[in-house]
Amino acid sequence: MIDAVGVTKRYGDRVAVDDVTFTVRPGAVTGFLGPNGAGKSTTMRMILGLDAQTAGEVRVNGKRYADHPAPLREVGALLEAKAVHTGRSAYNHLLALALTHGIPRRRVDEVVELVGLREVARKRVGGFSLGMGQRLGVAAALLGDPHTLVLDEPVNGLDPEGVRWIRQLLRSLVADGRTVFLSSHLMSEMELTADHLVIIGRGRLIADTSMAEFTARFSRKVVRVRTPEGGALRDLLVGPDVTVTAPETGLLEVHGLTSGEIGQLACRNAIPLEELTPVTASLEEAFMDLTQDAVEFSVHQDVLTERTAS
Amino acid sequence: MTATLTKAQRPSAAPLPDDIRVTQLRVMHSEWHKFWSLRSSYFTLAATLIAMIGFGGLFAAVTATRWTHMRPVEQAHFDPTAVSLRGFYLAQLVVGVLGVLIVTGEYSTGMIRSSLGAAPRRLPVLIAKAVVFAVITLVVTTVTAFVAFFLGQYLLSSHHIETTIGADGVARAVVGAALYLTVVGLMGVGLGFVVRSTAGAIASLFGILLVLPVLGEALPTDWATNIDPYLPSNAGQQIMVVHPDPSALLGPWSGFAVFCGYAAIALVLGAVLLRRRDA
């Protein structure tokens, strides 16, 4: 359980996180979604007390992270791929962290085994690949067998097998009743793992909603229709709840009608159809729309300002 | 590497004991383990050994061969203890770098975030690093100072110009070399937390230790006589002087106390900044 209330982080004049309030509920994967630079990592560092918030409060299981007698027992965190001394072996890194809490050595062996690093555990971390570094980070996060996990972009740099492994791990953690707070800048990743979504852009909270609710609200159904008589079909289809766009000649994208309805209309009016495909507009697009205004350096804007300047 | 999670590989295989929590002693244990699990620790300790014993022996051997050619003035100022401990000058660079590195090595690699994540009250990390470093360095430098001293005296004995550990002020000077080096390292630890970058902290440390006394010499004489003795390394090195000048502003122990004061300032400043800054 993580409670963030009115959390704000300012760096001089720049506001990185602006009055953000959300709750990460136990027994579910909460996705923390936002474009790069939206303030996700800063928020996560504030949860762990690594960065001090300018205003507001973050509590983990009812207390500030630093006030827990055994912080690693409460929250396991994977923040950066490598928050590890490159000259130390993976095993020694984990043991050093375990010793601060009096976590037994057998637990170090367990997490090494769990993340599949046994063969390289005695090798220096400096030679690790990005994927191995991520596995080591996950091992460190699991060291205290914590109730809550905070994972910043855990699939970054992982190969497909690694990605699948992370997903399975997340599922098994939640099945144990744990709280998982997972950040990503990819909606597609969240669709597969998250039950709940906290979306931020430019440091502001944009949405705090269940995945199901988000899907119901934002996934638009589009039907792609290819026909030589685009103009005629379009006139037939348009109505109060129906919008039709023509991205290229002979191709229509229809919102608000099913493929069956379009097919029957076309048949009745003897309009030949070359293609009739129902397409579910991805949540990625919905997410992009939602955060578009919030993207800090919008390409579109840059182009505009360049043009006005010249 | 298998990607599936079998029953035995579930995140919690066996329950952890109940007494799991962070204590100062445990953070020290962790820092102890961190120190000995880096190759650079062994290299720097070996370098300290070579600097103290090797250079001490070399200076003693050179002095012994030159003895008959030395002018009477030189012979009158000759101090067999100081010659055998001469390696401290190089050793302070090595120990200082080691003190800096146990802190800045964590900042440059990102390890500090793991360390502070495990001990988020932060101050125990600084205390543990300082204590572990001080204990290890004091033991190593004490042993090497005595070895350097006895080796030096053995080499000087060929010309019967050696001294004994029991002579007035000698034991204090030998132990003093170890104490001085340890406090140099602690100053490095403090500056490491203040500056956080390896290059910056090393530059600050040696600026304070080596450059300040040179600048002090450039001061007008009446200023210099009152200021120079209080400069960190001048004050700290008093403890290695076998026959202190009774009229000096700072004696061996008062000079060393002043030096400890400077190191304490660096550590306290480091502690304040560690608590206050984002990691």
Side-chain angles (χ1 to χ4, degrees):
Chain A
M1 183 89 159
I2 300 168
D3 287 295
V5 182
V7 173
T8 301
K9 179 71 183 178
R10 258 184 232 110
Y11 296 102
D13 288 342
R14 207 174 70 83
V15 183
V17 178
D18 190 1
D19 194 20
V20 167
T21 299
F22 61 86
T23 301
V24 178
R25 291 164 194 85
V29 176
T30 298
F32 193 29
L33 197 59
N36 287 328
K40 302 188 297 292
S41 296
T42 307
T43 305
M44 287 185 152
R45 281 201 305 270
M46 287 191 286
I47 293 172
L48 298 165
L50 290 173
D51 284 12
Q53 58 270 28
T54 318
E57 201 175 26
V58 193
R59 285 169 184 275
V60 179
N61 301 328
K63 279 185 193 172
R64 280 182 16 190
Y65 179 75
D67 290 341
H68 285 285
L72 293 184
R73 202 92 181 73
E74 304 293 330
V75 184
L78 169 71
L79 285 191
E80 271 122 311
K82 285 182 180 176
V84 181
H85 198 298
T86 39
R88 206 169 272 124
S89 73
Y91 180 84
N92 281 326
H93 170 71
L94 294 170
L95 183 56
L97 295 180
L99 287 171
T100 59
H101 279 60
I103 294 168
R105 275 163 199 263
R106 67 163 168 81
R107 180 62 187 165
V108 176
D109 294 325
E110 257 170 44
V111 294
V112 164
E113 188 73 31
L114 176 69
V115 303
L117 283 180
R118 194 179 49 182
E119 279 113 76
V120 292
R122 300 283 173 177
K123 296 221 166 76
R124 297 183 344 138
V125 178
F128 277 23
S129 67
L130 196 54
M132 283 151 79
Q134 288 292 76
R135 282 171 187 261
L136 177 57
V138 171
L142 294 175
L143 204 53
D145 195 14
H147 308 301
T148 306
L149 280 136
V150 171
L151 308 169
D152 196 0
E153 308 261 0
V155 299
N156 246 9
L158 290 186
D159 54 15
E161 196 212 19
V163 172
R164 201 167 57 109
W165 172 76
I166 285 274
R167 284 185 196 140
Q168 281 178 334
L169 180 76
L170 289 176
R171 280 291 145 214
S172 72
L173 289 166
V174 172
D176 286 355
R178 281 172 229 251
T179 312
V180 177
F181 191 43
L182 170 78
S183 85
S184 177
H185 59 276
L186 295 173
M187 185 70 207
S188 52
E189 189 52 43
M190 292 299 177
E191 283 184 72
L192 291 163
T193 42
D195 308 299
H196 195 88
L197 284 178
V198 173
I199 303 177
I200 64 168
R202 253 192 195 169
R204 289 218 179 85
L205 187 75
I206 293 177
D208 182 355
T209 165
S210 76
M211 191 73 215
E213 207 178 302
F214 183 85
T215 313
R217 211 169 115 206
F218 290 103
S219 74
R220 294 162 304 162
K221 295 254 190 291
V222 179
V223 182
R224 200 163 60 210
V225 188
R226 207 177 284 277
T227 168
E229 294 171 34
L233 183 61
R234 163 190 244 165
D235 295 341
L236 281 170
L237 295 176
V238 223
D241 296 325
V242 183
T243 55
V244 180
T245 52
E248 55 185 86
T249 28
L251 182 69
L252 300 178
E253 280 185 358
V254 185
H255 303 253
L257 286 174
T258 67
S259 51
E261 290 166 335
I262 298 167
Q264 283 173 15
L265 255 170
C267 183
R268 258 185 263 134
N269 293 279
I271 294 171
L273 296 184
E274 292 161 352
E275 186 194 342
L276 184 62
T277 319
V279 183
T280 307
S282 69
L283 292 178
E284 193 76 54
E285 277 171 46
F287 164 60
M288 299 278 256
D289 289 347
L290 209 55
T291 54
Q292 201 168 34
D293 306 329
V295 176
E296 196 157 6
F297 303 106
S298 164
V299 180
H300 182 62
Q301 248 175 8
D302 285 352
V303 173
L304 275 183
T305 41
E306 262 171 47
R307 272 188 196 152
T308 37
S310 58
Chain B
M1 279 189 276
T2 50
T4 44
L5 299 170
T6 63
K7 185 86 180 162
Q9 284 181 320
R10 293 294 291 273
S12 49
L16 293 172
D18 291 333
D19 70 329
I20 286 172
R21 63 195 166 82
V22 182
T23 65
Q24 180 66 67
L25 210 63
R26 283 173 171 168
V27 179
M28 281 187 204
H29 190 186
S30 169
E31 287 300 330
W32 176 267
H33 178 73
K34 277 190 199 169
F35 185 90
W36 294 114
S37 56
L38 283 181
R39 287 200 298 216
S40 58
S41 304
Y42 297 88
F43 291 148
T44 32
L45 290 182
T48 310
L49 240 84
I50 292 165
M52 281 296 280
I53 299 169
F55 278 79
L58 188 68
F59 272 95
V62 169
T63 309
T65 48
R66 278 185 58 226
W67 181 255
T68 46
H69 307 292
M70 273 161 78
R71 287 179 293 134
V73 185
E74 280 182 287
Q75 292 190 346
H77 281 99
F78 171 71
D79 178 351
T81 310
V83 166
S84 64
L85 295 178
R86 204 73 191 104
F88 94 86
Y89 204 80
L90 188 63
Q92 68 179 345
L93 304 185
V94 182
V95 173
V97 167
L98 181 59
V100 165
L101 273 182
I102 65 163
V103 179
T104 59
E106 294 214 2
Y107 279 99
S108 62
T109 55
M111 177 68 200
I112 192 71
R113 283 182 287 272
S114 292
S115 298
L116 297 182
R121 290 181 177 276
R122 297 191 179 188
L123 212 51
V125 175
L126 181 140
I127 292 168
K129 277 194 187 295
V131 169
V132 164
F133 173 82
V135 168
I136 293 169
T137 311
L138 190 59
V139 168
V140 170
T141 54
T142 302
V143 171
T144 50
F146 274 99
V147 172
F149 173 78
F150 287 117
L151 175 69
Q153 303 318 309
Y154 168 76
L155 293 167
L156 292 170
S157 67
S158 59
H159 286 75
H160 309 292
I161 48 171
E162 80 278 16
T163 184
T164 60
I165 193 74
D168 200 22
V170 169
R172 192 242 309 132
V174 176
V175 174
L179 286 172
Y180 172 77
L181 288 173
T182 303
V183 177
V184 165
L186 282 174
M187 198 180 261
V189 173
L191 288 173
F193 276 110
V194 174
V195 181
R196 300 200 283 191
S197 89
T198 305
I202 288 175
S204 320
L205 178 64
F206 296 134
I208 289 167
L209 291 179
L210 308 179
V211 182
L212 272 189
V214 178
L215 294 179
E217 283 167 21
L219 289 172
T221 320
D222 50 335
W223 284 37
T225 46
N226 287 314
I227 291 174
D228 286 2
Y230 291 95
L231 295 178
S233 47
N234 291 348
Q237 286 169 17
Q238 285 301 308
I239 199 170
M240 287 181 271
V241 177
V242 176
H243 304 293
D245 177 359
S247 67
L249 281 168
L250 291 173
W253 290 108
S254 54
F256 183 67
V258 168
F259 186 51
C260 288
Y262 286 112
I265 291 170
L267 285 167
V268 168
L269 193 60
V272 170
L273 292 172
L274 175 67
R275 294 269 299 181
R276 204 178 279 172
R277 288 195 289 215
D278 288 343

